Amino acid sequence: MKVAFFVTCLADHYFADAAADAVRLLRHLGCEVSFPPDQTCCGQPAYNAGRTGEALRMAEHTLDVFGGQPDNPAGADAVVLPSGSCATMVKKFYPRLATSPGASAVRATALAERSWDLAEFIVRRLGVTRLGDGLAGRRIAVHQGCHALRELRLETEPATLLEGAGAEVVPWEAQEECCGFGGLFSVKMTAVSAAMADRKLETLPDVDWVVSGDGGCVLHLDGRSRARGDRVEFVHLATALWRGVNGDGGKTGAK
Amino acid sequence: MATGIKDYAARSREIIREDPGVRESVTGATIAFDEKRRQGYAEVDADAWRRWAEGVKNHTLTHLDRYLAEAEEQLQANGAQVHWAADAAEAREIVTGLAVRHGVRSVVKGKSMVTEEIDLNPVLEAAGIEVFETDLGEYILQLLEEPPSHILGPALHKSLEQVQELFADRLDTARDGDPDTLARAAREVLRGAFIHADMGITGANFLVAETGTVALIENEGNIRLTTSLPRVHVAVVGIEKLLPRMTDLAGFLQLTARAATGQPIGCFVSLIQGPAADPGDDGPEEVHVVLVDNGRTDVLAHEHAWEALRCVRCGACLNACPVYRQTGGHAYGYVYSGPIGSVLDPGLLGLHEAMPLPFASSLCGACEDACPVRIPIPELLLEWRREAQEEGLTPWKERAALAGLASVATRPGLYRLAGKIGSRLGATGAARVLPMLGEWSKDRALPKPSPRTFRDLWREGIE
Ligand code: SF4
């Protein structure tokens, strides 16, 4: 299967190693991975702020890069993003945006149908749930990004994959609660946002890693936990899963 | 109307910092409510019920004129008197006018958000009328002179210890009185108030057009007494509370209770069909229904926000909301707080008045999943954000930053260059050029950019 990798701007700059692990993982699962070089930001920051014009321009750019038709320039069967939130932007919000006048709804829908969050792609498209046993003995808490959870309804996929790699996924009281990131929200309503992160951190069970498929959430939780002086190790889902395949000795990129 | 909305960011910070007990009480109470709501939904085919309820409300709202006319006719046929109030001032005048005309000296009230909205108590008190809030939570807040913090549990931001203190000082209960003792002490006072009151004032959960029935749901029995003991009952009702038929009411009573508290139905449901038929019968001599617009027709006319009028005020969205849980309702600066407040207030008060509420959300979507009438709250928040952007109601720095992002993100060469500079600058360097990271770093350590971007790794080859 040919996969065009949409790294997303946050992962490109803050989770480069995890993004590389996502590529390794996809290759390991038999995918031929390409990286269209002109890709940039999916436009979600502007979309969430209500800046429709700018969001649409960034969406159109992404549609140019990843194509809306099966014979898109990247020539891929699927577009995979290592971010539930950005995947939601492409899958759910591009089609909504594209209803504005002058936008290309057809292209947006076509891309939406071919795009996947990493965990979603592995479980639902490739039908894989077992990835080796490299995580045996690891106690992991999973943070689900809200978009992955409530827009893509990836309620079980990340945990299934982690367990499929041998990890023990530990229940977390605030598992389904928002970490308080929300992009601009975290800088506009910074006290509330930080208190939301605190609620996650206060209820965190005793684990080796906190794993999330959303870099934004990890940046936020990690930033808050370091400010509090907690010692929590956050690991991007892509990295955790690659370690699952490869064991902890592999070339990995914990944050 | 003067609100405290514009201070949301500062007030929320203050509550979190200065009064941490609020966060603790609100989080505990809302999580318990939310858990009950989940169980209540799980016992039925909640999605089917919610879809049905959404349909009924949409139909009602798109035929509101017809159902209002029908309701008025039926209410009058039942012997109730109907009043129309275009705004809060008119509503206050109508109710105080009635009180004065009936020589009322003492009023008992059932919990009602709309009477908070129209700020009724102060004018009644100014007219020399004694007002008793009879819902236990409302009674506590009346003693404390605080507004409600939650649609359903108005005092849920208070701890047991705080209520023990208050009642010990005011009602002479023991300092360690258990909740039952405290409730009994309040009941003593309120029983007296019920017996002496000349007028009972309530809101309404629903108003059934077909039969002219005012429906009220409660768990304490105080509304039953408020509507049946005093000589005059006044129900203040927002015009969006209409339901077409009695059979619709049957469904809504159950769904609302499940959404609010997980109960199959409220402990008390009062269906008010007008005054006592004969002198000597139970019930008030006069029943008045005051239908309040106060911005609702403006909301109805709004392309998107009208969906918020489906709201049945169950509080489920507040209970599910991680933003609300950190502060309770007072941070929002208006009676309708939490997710529904953030989409309704801009419609009722005007967007300018309600800034920055549409931005007081991480858009996590928990509210929409909880809402019994499927109000797409995140989508409505986004619509208000779009409007705020169009009207220039957001800080120019933010707009400039996003415009900058868009112009970089649509030019791949420039984007790559910016990324390279970013990773060279490192965490603190990036914070210096990106003003927003300054805000971020007030409460958080700065994010660390990867030393090399993914792009670099890809170019070198990923093994
Ligand atoms: S918006 Fe929905 S969940 Fe919130 S109070 Fe209204 S009906 Fe209940």
Side-chain angles (χ1 to χ4, degrees):
Chain A
M1 175 150 348
K2 288 184 177 166
V3 168
F5 189 60
F6 186 173
V7 65
T8 74
C9 55
L10 211 64
D12 192 2
H13 298 108
Y14 287 94
F15 296 92
D17 292 329
D21 288 338
V23 170
R24 293 183 182 103
L25 188 61
L26 289 166
R27 284 180 180 155
H28 170 78
L29 295 171
C31 300
E32 190 188 313
V33 183
S34 66
F35 180 74
D38 282 350
Q39 59 178 283
T40 59
C41 166
C42 68
Q44 179 157 215
Y47 181 80
N48 281 349
R51 303 290 301 177
T52 313
E54 277 104 357
L56 193 56
R57 275 165 55 207
M58 289 189 260
E60 293 284 348
H61 175 78
T62 303
L63 286 165
D64 287 342
V65 172
F66 286 94
Q69 274 72 37
D71 59 338
N72 60 84
D77 307 304
V79 176
V80 174
L81 303 88
S83 157
S85 188
C86 305
T88 301
M89 180 69 191
V90 175
K91 289 165 66 84
K92 299 279 171 162
F93 303 152
Y94 276 13
R96 277 192 212 163
L97 260 181
T99 56
S100 14
S104 33
V106 177
R107 280 205 316 167
T109 311
L111 181 61
E113 283 168 2
R114 289 191 302 121
S115 297
W116 306 81
D117 161 74
L118 179 67
E120 181 189 31
F121 180 73
I122 297 172
V123 176
R124 293 195 190 161
R125 182 72 179 83
L126 299 181
V128 171
T129 52
R130 290 211 46 89
L131 290 168
D133 55 9
L135 299 180
R138 290 261 173 211
R139 289 169 53 83
I140 291 177
V142 177
H143 168 73
Q144 282 281 61
C146 295
H147 279 145
L149 186 63
R150 280 179 276 268
E151 290 284 349
L152 303 182
R153 299 286 169 194
L154 299 178
E155 285 157 11
T156 54
E157 282 76 359
T160 302
L161 286 171
L162 290 164
E163 283 169 355
E168 180 192 349
V169 174
V170 182
W172 183 359
E173 185 187 327
Q175 172 125 12
E176 298 197 341
E177 289 176 33
C178 176
C179 74
F181 177 52
L184 203 55
F185 174 75
S186 63
V187 292
K188 278 177 94 85
M189 309 301 174
T190 175
V192 180
S193 158
M196 289 161 74
D198 286 348
R199 158 90 185 141
K200 300 286 296 194
L201 297 167
E202 285 156 8
T203 54
L204 189 65
D206 179 29
V207 290
D208 302 317
W209 296 344
V210 176
V211 170
S212 177
D214 261 293
C217 308
V218 170
L219 284 187
H220 186 239
L221 285 171
D222 178 55
R224 181 63 184 161
S225 85
R226 283 190 285 132
R228 287 160 49 104
D230 299 343
R231 274 163 210 256
V232 182
E233 194 176 347
F234 292 90
V235 179
H236 193 285
L237 181 67
T239 294
L241 295 181
W242 179 240
R243 288 198 192 182
V245 171
N246 215 31
D248 282 0
K251 189 178 178 201
T252 55
K255 207 198 110 57
Chain B
M1 134 150 230
T3 74
I5 294 175
K6 69 174 189 329
D7 300 324
Y8 173 81
R11 281 183 49 157
S12 55
R13 176 175 287 271
E14 192 183 302
I15 291 170
I16 291 165
R17 290 273 161 84
E18 317 285 323
D19 204 353
V22 170
R23 175 172 178 261
E24 202 183 314
S25 298
V26 175
T27 299
T30 49
I31 284 176
F33 272 132
D34 191 53
E35 188 46 45
K36 288 186 184 147
R37 191 263 311 163
R38 283 167 198 268
Q39 286 167 12
Y41 275 6
E43 288 160 11
V44 293
D45 184 353
D47 281 344
W49 279 69
R50 293 165 69 223
R51 243 179 277 277
W52 167 83
E54 176 190 12
V56 172
K57 277 283 183 183
N58 284 353
H59 167 83
T60 315
L61 290 168
T62 47
H63 299 79
L64 198 57
D65 49 343
R66 185 175 116 198
Y67 288 118
L68 280 169
E70 189 183 349
E72 179 178 34
E73 205 174 297
Q74 289 306 319
L75 282 164
Q76 286 167 346
N78 296 343
Q81 299 176 47
V82 179
H83 311 262
W84 299 87
D87 55 24
E90 275 188 32
R92 286 193 297 263
E93 254 166 58
I94 291 166
V95 181
T96 21
L98 286 169
V100 171
R101 176 147 67 79
H102 284 277
V104 169
R105 280 168 308 166
S106 176
V107 160
V108 281
K109 280 186 72 204
K111 190 175 72 60
S112 139
M113 293 312 284
V114 69
T115 60
E116 294 288 339
E117 177 189 330
I118 64 170
D119 218 3
L120 182 61
N121 293 9
V123 292
L124 289 174
E125 282 159 1
I129 298 163
E130 208 180 1
V131 180
F132 288 90
E133 292 288 350
T134 65
D135 173 90
L136 183 54
E138 288 282 0
Y139 177 68
I140 291 167
L141 294 184
Q142 192 181 21
L143 293 179
L144 290 167
E145 297 179 28
E146 278 187 32
S149 180
H150 185 279
I151 308 180
L152 199 76
L156 58 51
H157 60 297
K158 295 289 171 199
S159 66
L160 174 61
E161 292 73 32
Q162 285 170 306
V163 180
Q164 283 168 332
E165 281 289 292
L166 174 73
F167 277 26
D169 292 344
R170 305 288 287 274
L171 306 180
D172 262 344
T173 49
R175 297 237 160 231
D176 59 352
D178 61 19
D180 279 344
T181 313
L182 301 176
R184 219 173 303 123
R187 198 182 303 148
E188 284 294 313
V189 179
L190 293 173
R191 279 287 142 118
F194 281 123
I195 289 166
H196 292 111
D198 314 291
M199 178 181 270
I201 300 177
T202 66
N205 290 101
F206 304 101
L207 171 57
V208 181
E210 181 185 42
T211 52
T213 305
V214 173
L216 288 149
I217 309 176
E218 56 159 335
N219 282 331
E220 295 177 15
N222 63 306
I223 289 185
R224 176 66 54 82
L225 291 172
T226 302
T227 56
S228 55
L229 275 183
R231 331 185 236 120
V232 184
H233 170 213
V234 180
V236 185
V237 186
I239 54 171
E240 82 284 18
K241 296 276 163 184
L242 265 280
L243 284 177
R245 293 169 303 269
M246 218 42 177
T247 48
D248 300 323
L249 179 66
F252 271 91
L253 287 176
Q254 297 174 65
L255 182 60
T256 304
R258 285 189 185 276
T261 55
Q263 291 167 284
I265 196 161
C267 294
F268 294 81
V269 174
S270 300
L271 304 181
I272 314 291
Q273 290 284 103
D278 296 305
D281 278 5
D282 281 350
E285 293 159 22
E286 285 188 19
V287 171
H288 296 264
V289 175
V290 183
L291 291 163
V292 180
D293 182 334
N294 203 29
R296 285 162 176 74
T297 44
D298 294 338
V299 182
L300 193 57
H302 190 278
E303 190 185 350
H304 307 284
W306 71 272
E307 295 203 57
L309 291 180
R310 287 203 296 268
C311 176
V312 297
R313 307 279 189 271
C314 67
C317 58
L318 280 66
N319 298 333
C321 179
V323 173
Y324 174 87
R325 283 177 188 167
Q326 308 311 321
T327 64
H330 289 171
Y332 294 76
Y334 191 58
V335 278
Y336 303 115
S337 63
I340 184 59
S342 296
V343 294
L344 195 58
D345 300 349
L348 291 176
L349 303 166
L351 179 54
H352 191 265
E353 291 299 311
M355 286 296 284
L357 290 188
F359 291 88
S361 165
S362 62
L363 302 177
C364 83
C367 48
E368 184 175 359
D369 278 2
C371 178
V373 285
R374 293 169 35 96
I375 298 172
I377 294 174
E379 189 50 38
L380 296 185
L381 288 167
L382 274 173
E383 288 297 345
W384 286 124
R385 289 181 187 190
R386 284 173 199 139
E387 247 172 72
Q389 296 287 8
E390 274 161 29
E391 290 176 25
L393 298 177
T394 53
W396 68 266
K397 273 191 191 163
E398 233 172 78
R399 274 179 279 155
L402 290 166
L405 172 65
S407 61
V408 172
T410 47
R411 294 178 182 79
L414 198 56
Y415 176 86
R416 282 192 285 269
L417 182 67
K420 210 165 272 165
I421 295 171
S423 57
R424 297 259 161 78
L425 285 173
T428 36
R432 234 174 287 134
V433 292
L434 295 173
M436 287 176 187
L437 280 182
E439 275 301 308
W440 165 286
S441 65
K442 275 188 191 161
D443 299 295
R444 304 164 193 81
L446 286 169
K448 295 182 209 136
S450 302
R452 307 238 303 280
T453 64
F454 171 80
R455 225 166 267 272
D456 293 336
L457 301 181
W458 176 269
R459 202 163 347 92
E460 290 152 20
I462 293 167
E463 315 252 308

